[in-house]
Amino acid sequence: MTRPIQRRVFLMTLAASSAVIGTIAHPQTLVEEKDAQASALGYFADAKRVDTKKYPKFAAGQNCASCALYQGKPNDKAGGCPLFAGKQVTGAGWCSAWAKEA
Ligand code: SF4
């Protein structure tokens, strides 16, 4: 009777440890639009909300996932950006520093 319980406790501990390691390995802190740097660069977490009058160089299809500076994989929901060290931008986001991939 104790073996199944020990096994269950072991698996629960393993799952909890994996969750902690995953959190450490992949920081989830997202850039907030109201952050000073984000505001200065006109960052939007969703490119669909870009003010095209204020940022006329924005073109449909531009987003962080298609930006040369994006450090996530194209299908990642969020990834790093060198302009926002220690935080992540959303793949669907956009800012005025968007750069075409080579
Ligand atoms: S530089 Fe590129 S990846 Fe970084 S926030 Fe701007 S659009 Fe997104």
Side-chain angles (χ1 to χ4, degrees):
M1 225 21 181
T2 57
R3 280 199 184 259
I5 292 172
Q6 286 175 337
R7 184 168 183 247
R8 193 177 313 154
V9 169
F10 170 76
L11 292 174
M12 289 170 63
T13 304
L14 183 65
S17 299
S18 298
V20 169
I21 290 168
T23 301
I24 293 168
H26 302 286
Q28 299 295 314
T29 306
L30 291 173
V31 171
E32 299 273 344
E33 291 178 4
K34 62 183 190 311
D35 289 351
Q37 174 82 342
S39 181
L41 290 170
Y43 172 77
F44 289 86
D46 184 347
K48 290 177 186 162
R49 293 190 291 105
V50 172
D51 181 345
T52 54
K53 287 186 178 147
K54 191 171 180 181
Y55 301 103
K57 80 171 198 173
F58 171 79
Q62 292 181 356
N63 57 35
C64 292
S66 67
C67 174
L69 300 178
Y70 188 60
Q71 296 170 332
K73 292 177 186 149
N75 291 330
D76 286 348
K77 290 193 175 194
C81 170
L83 302 183
F84 299 99
K87 293 192 175 181
Q88 292 192 326
V89 295
T90 62
W94 182 90
C95 87
S96 61
W98 182 90
K100 187 176 181 178
E101 290 181 294

